[in-house]
Amino acid sequence: MSTVFIALQANEETRPIIEAIQIDNPKAIVNIEPAMVKIDAENFLIIKRETIEEQIGREYDLEELQINLISLSGNVNEDEDTLTLSWNN
Amino acid sequence: MDMKVKQKKLNKKEKYTVQTRDLGWEPTYQSKDKIFPYVEYEGIKIHDWDKWEDPFRLSMDSYWKYQAEKERKYYAILDSFAQTNGHLNLTSARYLSAIKIFQQAITPGEYAAHKGFARAGREFPGAGTQVACQMQSIDEIRHAQTQVHGVSNYNKYYNGFHDFTQQRDRIWYTSLARSFFDDATSAGPFEFMIAIGFSFEYVLTNLLFVPFMSGAAYNGDIASVTFGFSAQSDEARHMTLGLECIKFMLEQDPDNLPIVQGWIDKWFWRGIRLLSLVGSMMDYMLPKKVMSWKEAWQIYGVENGGALFNDLARYGIRPPKGWEDADKAMDHVSHQLMLGLHQWNFGTSFHTDVPTEEEMDWLSAKYPDTFDKYYRPRWNFMKEQAEKGKPFKNMGLPKLCQVCQSPGLYTEPDDPTMLCHRETVFENEKYQFCSDHCMDIFNNEPEKYVQAYLPMNQLFQAPLYGDLNAWMDWVSLRDGVDNGDYELSEDKKNFDKWRNDVKSNSVD
Amino acid sequence: MPIKSTKKYSVTPRDIQKNFNGKQLTYVSWDHHLLFSAPFILCLSPETQFSELVDEGILPTLQADPDLDKINWHEVTWLKANKPWVPDFSKSLADNGLVHKDQIRFHTPNLNTLCGTK
């Protein structure tokens, strides 16, 4: 098993996004660090547009993540509905 | 009556195709070989450029939109930093040594990367790759600029920031970074992608930016936190480009594997040597420490790199050859380099100090197997000498490694009491190295590295002929101002005074 | 391995002896003595006597090391290019076979004050 992760700036824009990620990835581990939140998951992590929209109460384009993204690890795949991170092992 | 037909909105994949690949065309009056003359000589075989795809599927219009948003956020914070004397919120002006090194060594690296990606974008035939390289090239110049802007607020008040462009070329410790980027930007386009896109951005960038930004956050440096975050928000895209590019090369032709593996071996080692500077910064220069260099390596090197190389194993890729030696050295490098920086601090455009007792206890807890045994005795000796009024300085100018250009201060992988000495002869000329891996890199392309500009060897040639005072002028170092111990510095005197002024209404 | 290039690639090394005004570089290190972080550079004429390299190059540079005064120069063993070597103190660097950018190391048995191997 390998860890994928996504790290986001800790701010008001990302708070509901982090909550959405927790809803869609209940086993993910959320590490709160200075000015940064790093979310680790085993092999696979999914971020869903719909869940974020439910959390923030407006339409959301996954590309908006770019603004608050710090780092990630894993193979990325993004379309309009989801962004996934995965390792093939 | 004409009914306006509602246009179907393109989905993301379609939009990406229309706005990247469809921008390319088949040339008619020039041959492809003439238009892209550098794409074959490295030996990499590509059969279908359309197989390359950006996994974020970011098109140029979205790119500009989000970059503009990042810039707005950045400059709003920078303005407020300047308006509220943000520099006085630092834990100590001693912290600024980290920023000085960053500005002198890393910021020019961003600029070099900008040039490199501009060239790679021109030299690769695939439209998807061209667009991604173009974005990254613009990102990199944005990073250089925002860093210079951010740091300019400190330059108004503190010493050592004044001549980083010249120092990048002339002073000695910056040559770790300069030679790294010179090497990458003078390589072919594919090697450049593995060097910067993959090894630096994917394998190592987290080790540079994440600890650096956390360090800035812990030490009250809002200006750097902000430029760090603003730059780092681009890094995820860069990392993804790097990983995509390596997978693309490996999928296109089995003959590419040994070439790519060789580059990974080389660039991992070059990167890890360069990052020793970050190690010393984390373990020694941050007044309020975040995590040790070794801990950062565990999280972002071992765990992350381990996952990555497991993933790439399906292509036949193995972890870089120097991995094990790098891992062993993590208990030592930050101490070895910092001891060097301190004893040569007459020649640094930043300040250093012997760590305090409290800091040494922290180092001892973080490095229980090595700090007290090997490094504390040397720091203690330096402290005693300073107390006796005979501060220890090393006037012996260091031998530099022909490849990584760091002083030969690293020890044998299995003996921390013995410096690592390696040498080779090429066309009747001797060359010295800091490690087996740097020597291997040389032996692979000796013609390239015999041209290396080693700052210490240059000092003994025209025009300086070994004159240290002339050298100080030449590298823009003001003796007693920019260099030396923090405790004795003007930076400390000013910072303490200004901080005191904040709390008092004294009229004198 | 020949370098990969699009055309003939010929270069002159940057640090050839000619650029040093007739002098040559010698790199010196004292094994198991890491108070001084790295091998240091001496830039001397090839005609310099080896004893001068020791007296005027090594001794002043390494003065701060508390072991320096304890060295018994008759017991010191030397390496050149990482191989055992016996210098003749009364002969010149050139006559001792030292070439430009050679690395010499000296080893002092029983002395290792600051390396944690006491």
Side-chain angles (χ1 to χ4, degrees):
Chain A
M1 293 291 259
S2 297
T3 307
V4 296
F5 77 75
I6 187 161
L8 298 166
Q9 292 186 42
N11 59 32
E12 277 305 297
E13 278 172 23
T14 57
R15 197 166 43 80
I17 297 170
I18 291 158
E19 283 165 9
I21 296 174
Q22 283 177 289
I23 292 169
D24 291 329
N25 304 271
K27 286 188 177 163
I29 296 163
V30 178
N31 305 289
I32 313 244
E33 284 163 34
M36 171 177 113
V37 176
K38 179 169 175 273
I39 306 166
D40 297 334
E42 288 301 332
N43 273 347
F44 183 79
L45 185 97
I46 187 162
I47 302 177
K48 294 184 186 164
R49 178 180 54 79
E50 222 181 344
T51 319
I52 296 176
E53 288 180 345
E54 282 162 16
Q55 296 301 306
I56 61 177
R58 66 163 172 91
E59 283 193 5
Y60 185 81
D61 188 331
L62 284 174
E63 286 183 347
E64 291 179 45
L65 269 178
Q66 299 280 343
I67 295 172
N68 292 304
L69 196 53
I70 292 174
S71 181
L72 50 77
S73 164
N75 295 294
V76 175
N77 200 350
E78 183 178 332
D79 61 24
E80 30 309 283
D81 297 323
T82 60
L83 186 154
T84 61
L85 297 172
S86 61
W87 289 124
N88 296 302
N89 47 45
Chain B
M1 200 173 85
D2 285 341
M3 285 283 286
K4 201 174 178 185
V5 183
K6 198 182 174 200
Q7 283 244 316
K8 184 181 158 271
K9 201 178 165 195
L10 295 177
N11 74 27
K12 203 164 185 179
K13 278 183 187 160
E14 291 163 342
K15 191 178 154 199
Y16 175 73
T17 304
V18 169
Q19 297 201 10
T20 57
R21 247 178 249 153
D22 287 3
L23 297 176
W25 65 89
E26 282 300 312
T28 50
Y29 57 88
Q30 280 288 2
S31 70
K32 277 200 161 175
D33 293 352
K34 277 193 175 167
I35 300 175
F36 303 110
Y38 302 112
V39 82
E40 279 174 4
Y41 84 95
E42 296 174 273
I44 294 288
K45 294 175 188 160
I46 303 296
H47 305 288
D48 181 3
W49 278 97
D50 280 348
K51 287 271 161 37
W52 192 88
E53 187 160 287
D54 168 14
F56 282 120
R57 301 194 175 89
L58 192 66
S59 54
M60 217 61 207
D61 60 335
S62 304
Y63 172 77
W64 289 119
K65 183 171 129 193
Y66 293 115
Q67 295 307 98
E69 178 68 22
K70 291 176 188 176
E71 290 279 279
R72 270 194 296 274
K73 280 182 85 167
Y74 172 68
Y75 281 101
I77 298 172
L78 200 63
D79 280 348
S80 97
F81 176 85
Q83 287 158 0
T84 59
N85 271 332
H87 69 102
L88 294 178
N89 291 326
L90 292 178
T91 44
S92 154
R94 196 185 124 194
Y95 160 82
L96 291 173
S97 289
I99 301 303
K100 292 172 192 177
I101 294 188
F102 192 93
Q103 188 206 23
Q104 293 157 17
I106 305 298
T107 302
E110 305 267 18
Y111 186 71
H114 147 69
K115 290 195 290 186
F117 278 100
R119 185 180 62 100
R122 171 62 187 85
E123 290 178 0
F124 284 131
T129 328
Q130 290 168 351
V131 169
C133 286
Q134 183 189 3
M135 288 176 188
Q136 185 156 353
S137 178
I138 299 165
D139 291 341
E140 303 289 2
I141 199 166
R142 183 177 87 86
H143 298 178
Q145 289 172 339
T146 49
Q147 284 162 22
V148 173
H149 281 147
V151 166
S152 68
N153 281 302
Y154 292 119
N155 183 44
K156 292 176 195 164
Y157 303 100
Y158 301 96
N159 298 316
F161 288 107
H162 60 289
D163 202 7
F164 70 97
T165 51
Q166 190 107 280
Q167 287 170 341
R168 177 257 185 199
D169 289 339
R170 294 184 173 181
I171 220 165
W172 52 285
Y173 51 89
T174 50
S175 67
L176 269 91
R178 175 184 49 77
S179 74
F180 177 94
F181 286 101
D182 283 355
D183 192 349
T185 49
S186 57
F190 285 105
E191 184 180 350
F192 174 78
M193 283 305 297
I194 297 291
I196 306 300
F198 179 73
S199 292
F200 196 68
E201 298 281 1
Y202 206 98
V203 186
L204 302 170
T205 195
N206 280 321
L207 278 166
L208 172 63
F209 272 97
V210 179
F212 170 75
M213 276 186 296
S214 308
Y218 265 67
N219 287 282
D221 178 8
I222 302 304
S224 304
V225 174
T226 314
F227 81 58
F229 275 149
S230 195
Q232 188 69 27
S233 66
D234 299 338
E235 302 297 341
R237 188 156 31 77
H238 300 173
M239 292 165 70
T240 307
L241 172 64
L243 183 57
E244 242 5 71
C245 219
I246 197 171
K247 290 195 289 193
F248 174 66
M249 286 185 221
L250 294 168
E251 280 165 9
Q252 284 287 312
D253 199 295
D255 290 352
N256 295 341
L257 174 64
I259 305 176
V260 169
Q261 181 72 57
W263 287 335
I264 292 177
D265 290 345
K266 168 181 171 181
W267 287 100
F268 167 76
W269 188 255
R270 291 226 57 180
I272 207 77
R273 273 288 184 256
L274 166 58
L275 291 186
S276 309
L277 278 172
V278 185
S280 296
M281 184 196 95
M282 289 184 71
D283 285 342
Y284 287 92
M285 295 181 196
L286 302 181
K288 172 73 188 163
K289 301 188 196 309
V290 181
M291 57 169 77
S292 69
W293 178 236
K294 195 185 170 187
E295 286 168 324
W297 166 252
Q298 279 302 327
I299 297 171
Y300 295 108
V302 176
E303 259 177 47
N304 213 13
L308 169 69
F309 287 106
N310 280 340
D311 187 81
L312 292 175
R314 68 199 143 114
Y315 299 110
I317 289 287
R318 51 159 177 74
K321 206 169 42 154
W323 190 274
E324 239 177 74
D325 284 344
D327 193 49
K328 280 183 201 165
M330 284 302 150
D331 265 322
H332 303 280
V333 281
S334 66
H335 314 296
Q336 293 173 353
L337 180 58
M338 195 66 217
L339 281 157
L341 291 172
H342 184 62
Q343 62 192 255
W344 293 303
N345 78 3
F346 53 89
T348 60
S349 192
F350 57 86
H351 302 299
T352 65
D353 268 310
V354 174
T356 63
E357 280 303 312
E358 188 211 23
E359 285 178 301
M360 287 207 250
D361 292 344
W362 184 88
L363 288 164
S364 157
K366 295 294 180 185
Y367 296 93
D369 300 332
T370 55
F371 184 74
D372 285 348
K373 187 170 177 194
Y374 299 110
Y375 303 106
R376 198 169 193 146
R378 283 176 238 169
W379 285 121
N380 280 340
F381 177 81
M382 292 185 193
K383 192 174 148 194
E384 285 159 21
Q385 293 301 106
E387 282 165 2
K388 283 184 203 158
K390 292 192 292 182
F392 172 66
K393 296 290 162 224
N394 182 355
M395 296 312 282
L397 302 178
K399 176 181 88 167
L400 303 181
C401 172
Q402 189 74 26
V403 171
C404 73
Q405 305 207 6
S406 81
L409 49 75
Y410 302 105
T411 49
E412 289 285 353
D414 294 309
D415 182 359
T417 70
M418 184 65 101
L419 291 179
C420 190
H421 298 87
R422 297 291 184 273
E423 64 175 64
T424 199
V425 174
F426 176 70
E427 292 180 348
N428 298 320
E429 192 76 15
K430 283 221 169 198
Y431 298 96
Q432 304 285 339
F433 310 97
C434 73
S435 58
D436 289 325
H437 304 293
C438 279
M439 187 167 69
D440 289 349
I441 292 169
F442 178 94
N443 286 336
N444 237 359
E445 288 179 286
E447 297 89 342
K448 186 169 191 178
Y449 299 99
V450 300
Q451 304 168 71
Y453 182 96
L454 302 176
M456 287 298 110
N457 290 6
Q458 288 299 315
L459 202 160
F460 291 101
Q461 300 177 37
L464 299 170
Y465 293 117
D467 180 343
L468 256 187
N469 288 324
W471 179 81
M472 298 285 275
D473 287 340
W474 193 68
V475 299
S476 292
L477 266 185
R478 296 166 299 176
D479 194 23
V481 179
D482 301 316
N483 57 1
D485 290 21
Y486 176 70
E487 276 306 307
L488 310 169
S489 70
E490 192 176 63
D491 276 3
K492 178 181 160 48
K493 211 176 95 205
N494 285 337
F495 182 76
D496 290 350
K497 179 181 182 304
W498 294 330
R499 269 281 277 264
N500 204 40
D501 288 350
V502 170
K503 292 178 279 184
S504 89
N505 294 301
S506 155
V507 285
D508 44 59
Chain C
M1 205 165 77
I3 199 156
K4 285 177 183 168
S5 60
T6 52
K7 45 187 163 231
K8 192 173 178 298
Y9 190 88
S10 63
V11 295
T12 312
R14 197 182 284 269
D15 288 335
I16 48 176
Q17 191 172 352
K18 197 175 85 182
N19 302 345
F20 290 82
N21 233 358
K23 295 182 179 174
Q24 70 183 43
L25 299 187
T26 307
Y27 302 116
V28 183
S29 38
W30 184 3
D31 280 354
H32 295 298
H33 282 75
L34 296 176
L35 176 63
F36 291 85
S37 276
F40 59 93
I41 304 174
L42 294 175
C43 183
L44 300 165
S45 150
E47 308 311 317
T48 311
Q49 277 213 342
F50 192 78
S51 60
E52 268 178 68
L53 178 147
V54 174
D55 294 340
E56 286 161 40
I58 297 180
L59 294 179
T61 311
L62 299 182
Q63 221 165 27
D65 195 300
D67 277 350
L68 193 73
D69 295 339
K70 299 178 206 152
I71 296 178
N72 178 347
W73 288 97
H74 299 294
E75 281 180 11
V76 168
T77 54
W78 295 84
L79 297 174
K80 180 169 84 77
N82 301 319
K83 293 187 189 79
W85 174 64
V86 182
D88 184 333
F89 277 56
S90 65
K91 284 190 175 159
S92 71
L93 305 188
D95 291 342
N96 266 297
L98 281 170
V99 298
H100 180 49
K101 291 188 280 167
D102 241 328
Q103 163 83 55
I104 56 173
R105 299 160 55 180
F106 64 100
H107 185 76
T108 50
N110 306 319
L111 294 180
N112 49 18
T113 320
L114 285 161
C115 269
T117 53
K118 272 182 268 190

